[in-house]
Every structure is written in structure tokens, then in C-alpha cells.
Amino acid sequence: MRLSDVRIINLPKILDERGNLSFIESENHIPFKIERTYLIYDVPGGEVRGGHAYKELNEFIVALSGSFDVVLDDGFEKKTYSLNRSYYGLYVPNMIWRSLENFSTNALCMIVASEKYNESDYLRNYSEFQKQLL
Ligand code: TYD
């Protein structure tokens, strides 16, 4: 996959005086079936999460609170997205090297994934990732 396959997806936003509401339906608002959701939180200042690619997994990343940067690299070019709202997220397909950086205090990151946790789907070595692109 290339960075051109990455995109911001806006979620439905039901405005209400009682508080706004957004939602995500599997295979509707995001282009894959949801198999897992996980959260990243309490990230100490300056720490970086991720730093890997997935062979098969597609994901959708939302800043539920606070802000952080998603740094992407498809082996040809790099791009950084800053996420800071809960009514949109970043769709990142497989075979994109990605890390999560620059977390604000109290940032809460939700990642919706197309696969259950499977360590053998990770490419944790950048040169291995490059080899798989050939
Ligand atoms: P990992 O994905 O390597 O974190 P990072 O985003 O920093 O790359 O996950 C860290 C550890 O957490 C990993 O050793 C296994 C565990 N883990 C699960 O058990 N289930 C999960 O859904 C995830 C994402 C991680």
C-alpha cells in the first residue's frame, strides 16, 4: 500500500445540546470488518509507540481525547497526520510503517483493527519491511 491509500475518515456526528455523539459501524464507516479495538493511554512525555508495519492488518486510529501525531512511511515517502478530535480518524492500510508520537498530556488513542492480535503479522524491523515491498 502507498500513502495515497491512507485517508482521514469523518465519522457521523449527531449534534445535541446534551452532548455530541459519533459512531463507527464495521464495514460501513470504515472499510473493514472490526475484529479488535485497543487503547493507548498514559503515555509519558516524549515516548513513541508503534514503529512497525503490519503485513495484513488494516486500522483506523482516533484521538478520543488530547492529541498525537501518526507518522507514516510507505517505503517511498513519509507523511505525518496530527489527530486531535474524536469525530474523525485516520485509516491506515497494511504495509505502511507507522509510529505514534508527540502525545499530549492525557491523550487517549483508540485503534480499531481488522485482525485479532497476531505477533506474526508485525514487521518490526525496517529493513525487513523494505524487503517485503519488493
Ligand atoms: P505493540 O503493538 O508492540 O505496541 P506498540 O504500539 O508500541 O508497537 O504491543 C505491545 C504489547 O502489547 C505486545 O507485546 C503484545 C501486547 N498486545 C496485546 O496483547 N494485544 C493487543 O491487541 C496489542 C495491540 C498488544
Side-chain angles (χ1 to χ4, degrees), residues 7 10 38 40 43 45 78 88 92 98 100 110 114 116:
R7 64 182 192 275
N10 288 305
Y38 65 97
I40 297 174
V43 178
K78 293 184 186 191
Y88 66 80
V92 183
R98 68 104 169 120
L100 305 175
M110 177 178 74
S114 66
K116 295 201 165 59

Side-chain angles (χ1 to χ4, degrees), residues 30-131:
I30 53 172
F32 58 82
K33 186 166 181 290
I34 298 170
E35 285 292 340
R36 177 168 54 115
T37 301
Y38 65 97
L39 305 172
I40 297 174
Y41 51 96
D42 293 347
V43 178
E47 286 294 343
V48 175
R49 299 286 326 208
H52 52 66
Y54 301 106
K55 295 179 208 164
E56 302 288 342
L57 180 148
N58 305 313
E59 65 186 356
F60 181 64
I61 305 171
V62 184
L64 291 184
S65 121
S67 63
F68 52 85
D69 294 340
V70 184
V71 181
L72 302 173
D73 176 352
D74 65 3
F76 298 89
E77 51 179 340
K78 293 184 186 191
K79 186 165 180 180
T80 299
Y81 287 86
S82 293
L83 301 183
N84 56 13
R85 290 285 185 275
S86 48
Y87 52 82
Y88 66 80
L90 187 65
Y91 170 64
V92 183
N94 59 63
M95 290 304 291
I96 306 273
W97 190 268
R98 68 104 169 120
S99 57
L100 305 175
E101 309 182 2
N102 200 20
F103 285 85
S104 68
T105 305
N106 291 330
L108 171 55
C109 168
M110 177 178 74
I111 302 185
V112 178
S114 66
E115 313 289 335
K116 295 201 165 59
Y117 176 75
N118 173 13
E119 183 58 36
S120 66
D121 189 52
Y122 281 71
L123 293 169
R124 293 189 182 274
N125 179 299
Y126 190 79
S127 54
E128 182 63 23
F129 165 68
Q130 286 177 308
K131 264 192 232 157

